[in-house]
Amino acid sequence: MMTALANVFIWVFQRLAVWGEGLLALALLIVQGGGALVSGTLGAFFLKPLTQRRIFALLRGFWPNLSLNRIVMKSYENTGTALVTRREDCLEVLNRNADFEVVYGTRMRKLTAGDNFFLGMQPGWDYTRDTSAMRLAARMTDVAEIVQPRAAKIAEQAVAASGGKIDIVPSLTLQVPWDMTAHYFGTGGSRESMVDWTTTLFTYLFLDLEADAQLDARAMEQAGQLRDYLDGAICARKARPTDAPDILNRCLELQSADTPGMSDLGIRNNMLGLLIGAIPTISRASCLALDELLNRPEALASAQAAARAGNDALLAQHVWEALRFNPFNPVIYRRATRDTQVAASTLRRIKIRKGQMVFAANFSACFDRFEIADPGRFRTDRPWEDYIIWGYGMHTCFGATINQAVIPAILEPLLMRKNLRRAPGVAGQIDCGTSSFPEHFHLEFDS
Ligand code: HEM
């Protein structure tokens, strides 16, 4: 009886807190949005993570699930848009693969000039074949044995060579993942081309809301270049075999054993998909995490103390928490394969029409007071399950274990330096140029 009463009390308290948060968010959005409107910076205002967090708080409080006729995502066929903001509902969408499908297949096929890549596949033989083979080629144990130590070494060298003034994007956050693909993936190549190709192709696959024709043309050209490059790299490796413990060699070993999906074409397409996922993503996530820490002096000091004490686990907790506040992607999207519902049997039940694009707001889910303790506070004691940083369910990031090791390895040598700070002026802010990915981010420290 006492437990039931306590549960009712907690539920009422949480409900009031969620409404209160929603109202406060609304008031702040009106005041600050008004200011942005007057100063002509409304676009930038809506791109800020803090603004998006407030919009999600308002929605979670009053309209947790929305369904609209309007088409927001124009690059993949759909009949309208739905948005779900509560954690439970986001996970429901990402778990129900048969009802909410991944959409990337059409563009993925354009990039490979034929076949799909596993992120664009529904459950079935093709998905199982490709993920199984690639998991054998990219072994989880490689991360601790090969990937992390090399990333830590390259990162330390880059920071040490900088003499206290560093543009971390070219010197560090792109250098480390590119080096990982060159050596551990075994695909080599020039850094400039790999970064350029993978950044364009990532943008084309995941971020092209407007179906930009110029981007389409650029992506087709660069996908052709990347395909040719990878075909050449596979041929060259077969002509001059090595015994390096890299993904390409493992794929070729699987090919010799007649493993399904490991023809030269299969290897090339799988490599193409992994490369697109690996380089711009790690760079951007590293910059965002550091940017958030630099905005929070206490959290920065605590992350630095963890780095100096060699407490890798605690340092990583700071990074995940920073990415909760400043995420790589605020939503993950799927398309409804039939008329259906989300959050059935609740007051927030929403009907979804076949063909609607459903945005599961992972950013919002990580702040859902009903499931996340003390969501507004920067805390370093959260369980890993609280985070949805690189997807959820069947399509959870293939590189999750790599990310968990490499992003802290990139940031650690910087955090160990004394008086780490932004460079003065705009140089000390992330500069994405005309893309969605950092191009420059100048920092300083006492050398
Ligand atoms: C911080 C860096 C990264 C972030 C933020 C990130 C983000 C994501 C997200 C959100 C998804 C799920 C997409 C969806 O469900 O629609 C995903 C899937 C995927 N990622 Fe990553 N990723 C990162 C790094 C990597 C790396 C290093 C690789 C390659 C080793 C990679 C390869 C993939 C692949 C292949 C999938 C599809 C998995 C599947 O369909 O089973 N990603 N990633």
Side-chain angles (χ1 to χ4, degrees):
M1 181 65 181
M2 287 304 288
T3 317
L5 271 178
N7 283 342
V8 170
F9 178 76
I10 290 169
W11 187 88
V12 170
F13 175 78
Q14 280 178 326
R15 194 22 69 220
L16 290 174
V18 169
W19 281 335
E21 254 170 7
L23 287 174
L24 181 63
L26 177 63
L28 291 167
L29 283 169
I30 291 172
V31 173
Q32 292 171 353
L37 185 64
V38 171
S39 62
T41 55
L42 205 56
F45 175 71
F46 280 112
L47 286 178
K48 283 187 188 163
L50 183 58
T51 307
Q52 294 174 3
R53 189 144 59 86
R54 289 187 176 139
I55 294 172
F56 286 135
L58 176 62
L59 292 174
R60 281 194 310 276
F62 300 101
W63 303 277
N65 295 327
L66 292 177
S67 173
L68 310 167
N69 288 326
R70 186 156 172 257
I71 291 177
V72 172
M73 165 58 74
K74 301 200 176 93
S75 50
Y76 295 102
E77 209 177 304
N78 67 94
T79 58
T81 307
L83 174 67
V84 303
T85 63
R86 286 280 307 275
R87 181 181 159 91
E88 195 182 336
D89 302 341
C90 291
L91 301 194
E92 182 184 338
V93 168
L94 296 175
N95 269 328
R96 287 172 53 194
N97 298 303
D99 298 329
F100 300 106
E101 64 180 355
V102 279
V103 294
Y104 317 112
T106 47
R107 287 197 167 200
M108 216 54 243
R109 286 176 193 282
K110 286 175 76 175
L111 299 189
T112 63
D115 293 329
N116 202 348
F117 171 72
F118 59 85
L119 177 52
M121 294 177 191
Q122 285 292 93
W125 163 240
D126 289 358
Y127 182 85
T128 305
R129 180 198 60 211
D130 287 357
T131 49
S132 305
M134 293 312 287
R135 292 260 173 231
L136 288 174
R139 301 173 192 163
M140 220 174 251
T141 46
D142 293 343
V143 176
E145 289 165 13
I146 304 171
V147 178
Q148 197 279 346
R150 186 167 173 108
K153 191 175 109 195
I154 305 275
E156 173 54 35
Q157 282 169 352
V159 174
S162 71
K165 288 188 186 217
I166 180 167
D167 181 356
I168 64 165
V169 182
S171 314
L172 184 63
T173 66
L174 282 172
Q175 178 65 20
V176 171
W178 169 75
D179 175 87
M180 174 184 77
T181 61
H183 291 92
Y184 170 60
F185 285 24
T187 42
S190 94
R191 194 187 91 176
E192 201 190 356
S193 305
M194 276 295 175
V195 168
D196 200 20
W197 291 334
T198 54
T199 305
T200 302
L201 301 185
F202 188 97
T203 309
Y204 176 70
L205 276 176
F206 304 110
L207 308 177
D208 181 24
L209 287 183
E210 294 300 325
D212 179 342
Q214 279 179 357
L215 175 61
D216 189 289
R218 201 164 74 245
M220 290 309 104
E221 187 191 339
Q222 296 195 0
Q225 292 165 352
L226 179 53
R227 285 196 306 271
D228 290 347
Y229 172 77
L230 289 174
D231 288 340
I234 293 167
C235 265
R237 181 65 68 87
K238 285 175 117 172
R240 288 181 296 284
T242 74
D243 57 4
D246 62 30
I247 299 181
L248 180 53
N249 271 346
R250 304 245 182 80
C251 287
L252 291 173
E253 281 164 26
L254 290 166
Q255 182 178 76
S256 336
D258 258 351
T259 308
M262 291 285 99
S263 64
D264 284 2
L265 188 62
I267 295 173
R268 181 252 265 168
N269 290 341
N270 277 300
M271 283 298 192
L272 187 141
L274 289 200
L275 283 166
I276 296 173
I279 301 176
T281 48
I282 289 185
S283 172
R284 182 170 143 83
S286 304
C287 290
L288 293 174
L290 195 56
D291 192 43
E292 187 66 26
L293 290 175
L294 288 163
N295 284 340
R296 297 173 176 270
E298 262 182 47
L300 178 65
S302 150
Q304 289 188 289
R308 286 174 195 145
N311 190 339
D312 293 347
L314 183 58
L315 168 60
Q317 286 290 121
H318 287 79
V319 176
W320 316 144
E321 189 67 350
L323 286 171
R324 189 172 71 92
F325 282 90
N326 200 7
F328 179 91
N329 55 305
V331 294
I332 297 167
Y333 49 91
R334 296 287 186 267
R335 185 170 50 208
T337 56
R338 62 183 179 90
D339 290 348
T340 183
Q341 302 177 5
V342 171
S345 320
T346 70
L347 290 174
R348 59 179 196 280
R349 175 182 79 106
I350 187 174
K351 287 186 181 170
I352 307 278
R353 289 188 314 279
K354 180 176 176 179
Q356 252 181 323
M357 198 67 90
V358 184
F359 288 80
N362 53 307
F363 187 11
S364 174
C366 292
F367 285 84
D368 183 347
R369 185 170 288 281
F370 285 105
E371 293 182 68
I372 305 294
D374 204 3
R377 267 192 53 212
F378 192 102
R379 282 173 53 163
T380 53
D381 60 351
R382 298 187 186 281
W384 174 251
E385 298 71 49
D386 278 8
Y387 298 102
I388 312 178
I389 306 182
W390 21 80
Y392 185 86
M394 171 178 149
H395 289 286
T396 300
C397 182
F398 185 86
T401 318
I402 289 178
N403 304 338
Q404 275 173 267
V406 169
I407 299 173
I410 288 176
L411 299 181
E412 187 170 12
L414 278 174
L415 291 167
M416 287 174 68
R417 282 355 193 231
K418 275 200 197 129
N419 196 13
L420 178 69
R421 57 197 183 270
R422 295 176 192 276
V426 286
Q429 304 296 326
I430 295 177
D431 170 10
C432 290
T434 53
S435 80
S436 304
F437 288 90
E439 290 175 3
H440 303 285
F441 188 12
H442 292 264
L443 301 183
E444 297 180 359
F445 55 85
D446 296 350
S447 54

